[in-house]
Amino acid sequence: MFATAIAAVIAAMVLALVRAFAGPSLYDRVLAGNSFGTKTVLLIGLMGFITGRPDFLDIALLYALINFTATLAILRFFSYRTPKGAPAEPASEKESPA
Amino acid sequence: MNTFHVELSPSIWLDLSLLTMLVLVAIAMLRSRHLFAVVMLSGIYSLLSAAFFVSLDAVDVAFTEAAVGAGVSTVLMLGGMLLTARREKPKGAGRAPVALAVVFAAGAALVYATIDMPAFGDPNAPANSHVGQAYVEQTPNDIAVPNIVTAVLASYRGFDTLGEVMVIFTAGVAVMLLLGAGSVRGGREVSDVEKDESGAA
């Protein structure tokens, strides 16, 4: 059962990777990175259970915290960013004004 | 010396798929000219390698990789990126054949060297027979830490780890100085328009 769950999580990781490769907008990539981190948390938890060491779950929880903080830090950049002096960007990467 | 054979680990498919994704992410980072995508992909690369380290039982290394690779260095690279252009300057299709040949030769030499390595988990391997054995035997008596790797890092080699912390701290201070005082909020060039117009900051 855990092996099937691991296979499903890896398939979901591949899908998130496809979105991170393809983009096209900034937020697609932020979301892909964030959901990839969530999949990593799930994968580490499952690896702990399949090897009979459920204390890996604590590590997975810490990863969830790191992932959350990193996403917040990345998003803060865009709330402080201004187009002043920045090179022109393609329309697909324009952000909504904060 | 009797030989030691390892059977394939049951997690071989997990390891293979993690390593395949690592290679895919690395190729995508090389090919992408969009710097923000490269930064996000490097964060994903760190998460993947952290998961791979956990599957290798190197939990503390995985912690470091996730915190530094996916967390701190992503933010630092974003801070650096915001001081430059958003896209890498397009280069011609010309490749450096000499560099490629050197990389392939070095890689082939490294792969050739792994043939001489002792099998994974071999009890007769030098790493497992002398110092490692002493740590395994004495750690429960010397230090009551259940994880031997943690005991080695934090107690047996405590001063070494303290020196590493100093090195990392110095590197972090140097990066913050290079990026500028406001780099945590996105660099000198970047400020919130509305707040600037109201006269603050």
Side-chain angles (χ1 to χ4, degrees):
Chain A
M1 186 183 74
F2 287 131
T4 319
I6 284 182
V9 167
I10 285 182
M13 282 171 124
V14 171
L15 289 178
L17 268 191
V18 168
R19 185 42 67 198
F21 290 165
S25 82
L26 291 177
Y27 298 107
D28 287 328
R29 294 201 161 98
V30 174
L31 192 57
N34 186 25
S35 61
F36 198 89
T38 313
K39 303 297 181 299
T40 315
V41 171
L42 293 177
L43 185 69
I44 290 172
L46 284 169
M47 280 198 284
F49 279 110
I50 207 173
T51 51
R53 281 178 296 179
D55 32 321
F56 272 23
L57 207 57
D58 297 341
I59 300 164
L61 281 178
L62 193 75
Y63 275 50
L65 285 177
I66 290 174
N67 188 31
F68 176 67
T69 320
T71 309
L72 272 189
I74 290 168
L75 287 176
R76 265 185 93 80
F77 272 99
F78 299 109
S79 67
Y80 277 101
R81 208 174 69 172
T82 173
K84 180 182 62 180
E89 290 180 52
S92 66
E93 289 161 22
K94 282 265 169 65
E95 53 182 327
S96 58
Chain B
M1 184 182 281
N2 51 345
T3 52
F4 178 80
H5 291 288
V6 224
E7 294 175 13
L8 278 186
S9 146
S11 68
I12 182 84
W13 293 109
L14 177 67
D15 295 344
L16 270 184
S17 48
L18 284 178
L19 288 175
T20 311
M21 282 194 277
L22 271 179
V23 172
L24 287 179
V25 172
I27 292 175
M29 280 167 73
L30 281 178
R31 296 190 60 83
S32 177
R33 291 285 169 267
H34 187 202
L35 291 181
F36 181 78
V38 175
V39 172
M40 287 313 293
L41 284 175
S42 78
I44 290 179
Y45 189 93
S46 296
L47 283 170
L48 263 175
S49 42
F52 184 61
F53 289 149
V54 169
S55 99
L56 289 177
D57 258 355
V59 176
D60 52 333
V61 185
F63 265 156
T64 316
E65 179 65 40
V68 175
V72 177
S73 76
T74 305
V75 172
L76 285 180
M77 279 197 283
L78 271 179
M81 190 197 81
L82 288 175
L83 296 177
T84 71
R86 298 286 141 72
R87 284 179 174 275
E88 194 176 331
K89 198 183 280 183
K91 283 173 72 175
R95 298 279 186 269
V98 180
L100 194 67
V102 167
V103 166
F104 268 102
L110 288 174
V111 170
Y112 177 70
T114 60
I115 299 172
D116 285 341
M117 281 171 63
F120 180 70
D122 188 350
N124 299 318
N128 291 335
S129 52
H130 303 293
V131 185
Q133 202 172 10
Y135 280 136
V136 170
E137 284 168 357
Q138 290 169 14
T139 299
N141 300 325
D142 288 353
I143 312 151
V145 172
N147 189 327
I148 293 173
V149 177
T150 308
V152 169
L153 278 179
S155 181
Y156 286 118
R157 300 183 194 158
F159 282 114
D160 185 60
T161 307
L162 186 66
E164 286 171 13
V165 171
M166 289 299 293
V167 169
I168 294 173
F169 177 73
T170 314
V173 169
V175 168
M176 296 307 277
L177 286 174
L178 280 175
L179 290 180
S183 62
V184 177
R185 291 182 175 175
R188 277 167 294 203
E189 303 293 324
V190 180
S191 59
D192 200 316
V193 179
E194 286 145 17
K195 277 184 186 165
D196 273 0
E197 281 169 358
S198 69

